[in-house]
Amino acid sequence: MDILDSIEAMQAWRRSLPNDARVGFAPTMGNLHAGHISLIDQATQESDRVVASIFVNPMQFGANEDLEAYPRTMAADLEKLEAAGTAAVFIPTIDDIYPEGIDQHTAVEVPGLTDVLCGASRAGHFKGVTTVVSKLFGAVRPDVAVFGAKDLQQVLVIKKMVRDLLLPTDIVTVPTMRETDGLAMSSRNGYLTPAERQLAPRFSQALADCAEAIENDHSAVEVSLNTARDALTDHGFKIDYLEARRTFDLSLATKVDEEIALFGAVYLGKTRLIDNRVISPS
Ligand code: PAF
C-alpha cells in the first residue's frame, strides 16, 4: 500500500496510473472501524484501485465541538487499510489542504439541504464537508467515491454538489454497519461510558420501532415519532432532532407519499449520536 503524505505525492500517484484504470475513493477521518472497511470493500467492487484518505478536517467542526478530542489512531488505521487491499492512502496535512488558513480558502456550499437537521444544529459543518470533499476529489480524481448511509444527509448533500458542479465522480452509498445490538458503528461511540454504551442501542431500536409503525400505517408519521421521542427521553437521551423527511429534498413528511427517512440525532451524556431509517412507499 502506498502512503501519500502530500497533495503532490497524491497527484503524482494518480498520474502514474494507466488512463483506463478506474479509481475508487473512500474519504475518512480515520479511527477506522468495520463500517469504514465496508466502504473499502464496496470501492474495491466498483473500481480497479482504491484510495482511502485520512484527514480530520478542522473546517467541519464547530468551535465547541470535539476536534481536539477526535480519536487519532493512524498506525492501526494503516494496518486495517492494508489488510482490506487498499492501493494507496492519502494523508494530507492541514497546511496542504488549507495553505492560507480555513478563512482564506475557497468554500463550496450546497444550499437548501444543509439548512435542516445536522445543518441546523451544527453551523458551518456541511460547508466544511463539501469544501474538503471537493478538494480531496480534486487531488484524487476518483471515478467513484463511497460514503456511509449512517450520514444520510451528508450523502444527499454530496450527491447534489456533484450534480450541480458536474463533477465526474459517481457517488455510491454503502449501508450502515451496526454492532450486534443494533447501534450504528461510529468513531464517536468510543466516547460513551460503559453505562451509556449499554443504553445506546435504545436509540437505534426506537428508530427501528418507529419505522415499523410507519410502514404498517403510512399516515402514522407524527404519532409514531412522538412515541419514539417519549421513549428516548424516558431513557435519558436528550433529543437534538427526530424528524421524518423526504429523501428527495429533505422537506418534512407527514405521510409516506414517496421515499422518506427518519433522521435522528441525540445526546447521551456528552456524546452526540446520529442514525436514520429509510421508508419506501411500497
Ligand atoms: O464522513 C466523514 O468521515 C467526513 O465527513 C468526510 C466525508 C471524510 C469529510 O471529512
Side-chain angles (χ1 to χ4, degrees):
M1 182 172 76
D2 294 315
I3 309 280
L4 310 168
D5 60 4
S6 67
I7 290 181
E8 291 70 32
M10 179 67 242
Q11 289 174 321
W13 185 90
R14 184 67 177 87
R15 278 195 302 271
S16 74
L17 298 182
N19 277 344
D20 62 349
R22 188 168 161 82
V23 172
F25 181 39
T28 82
M29 299 205 300
N31 193 236
L32 304 183
H33 49 67
H36 293 108
I37 300 309
S38 74
L39 299 182
I40 302 290
D41 292 344
Q42 185 66 41
T44 303
Q45 286 185 30
E46 307 271 346
S47 66
D48 303 315
R49 284 178 187 73
V50 175
V51 180
S53 63
I54 298 178
F55 179 65
V56 182
N57 174 32
M59 191 176 174
Q60 70 189 72
F61 287 79
N64 301 318
E65 292 184 357
D66 56 341
L67 174 62
E68 297 309 324
Y70 200 83
R72 273 102 169 152
T73 52
M74 188 61 78
D77 291 349
L78 294 179
E79 270 182 35
K80 288 176 190 167
L81 289 174
E82 176 130 53
T86 312
V89 56
F90 177 35
I91 313 173
T93 64
I94 293 180
D95 284 348
D96 267 327
I97 299 289
Y98 302 112
E100 296 167 76
I102 290 174
D103 293 342
Q104 291 306 310
H105 198 281
T106 301
V108 178
E109 272 190 274
V110 172
L113 295 180
T114 60
D115 294 342
V116 298
L117 303 171
C118 286
S121 311
R122 303 182 66 192
H125 168 67
F126 284 116
K127 180 174 159 187
V129 170
T130 43
T131 299
V132 82
V133 168
S134 42
K135 183 137 193 178
L136 294 170
F137 280 10
V140 178
R141 291 194 283 119
D143 297 289
V144 56
V146 289
F147 292 88
K150 182 179 78 72
D151 299 305
L152 182 57
Q153 187 179 13
Q154 171 172 279
V155 178
L156 299 173
V157 167
I158 287 169
K159 281 186 171 169
K160 176 164 166 58
M161 174 185 85
V162 163
R163 266 196 322 270
D164 286 356
L165 299 181
L166 306 177
L167 301 181
T169 301
D170 299 330
I171 304 299
V172 171
T173 313
V174 180
T176 304
M177 289 278 283
R178 296 182 181 278
E179 305 290 353
T180 47
D181 57 14
L183 177 65
M185 289 187 186
S186 164
S187 298
R188 291 190 167 98
N189 292 349
Y191 298 154
L192 297 167
T193 65
E196 290 165 352
R197 176 63 191 82
Q198 279 228 305
L199 214 52
R202 294 191 184 266
F203 176 36
S204 50
Q205 192 58 54
L207 277 177
D209 291 347
C210 186
E212 193 183 337
I214 295 171
E215 271 155 3
N216 289 335
D217 178 355
H218 281 185
S219 60
V221 171
E222 209 41 53
V223 68
S224 309
L225 283 171
N226 280 334
T227 305
R229 288 182 188 120
D230 289 346
L232 287 168
T233 308
D234 286 351
H235 286 114
F237 292 86
K238 189 171 154 261
I239 298 172
D240 179 358
Y241 58 76
L242 184 57
E243 293 177 357
R245 290 183 176 266
R246 297 185 183 85
T247 54
F248 170 64
D249 60 0
L250 291 185
S251 58
L252 280 170
T254 51
K255 55 184 185 314
V256 192
D257 46 5
E258 56 184 279
E259 185 182 83
I260 69 164
L262 307 179
F263 291 89
V266 294
Y267 286 92
L268 202 45
K270 291 195 175 116
T271 307
R272 187 172 185 274
L273 304 172
I274 65 170
D275 202 348
N276 64 78
R277 297 279 165 167
V278 174
I279 302 170
S280 50
S282 51

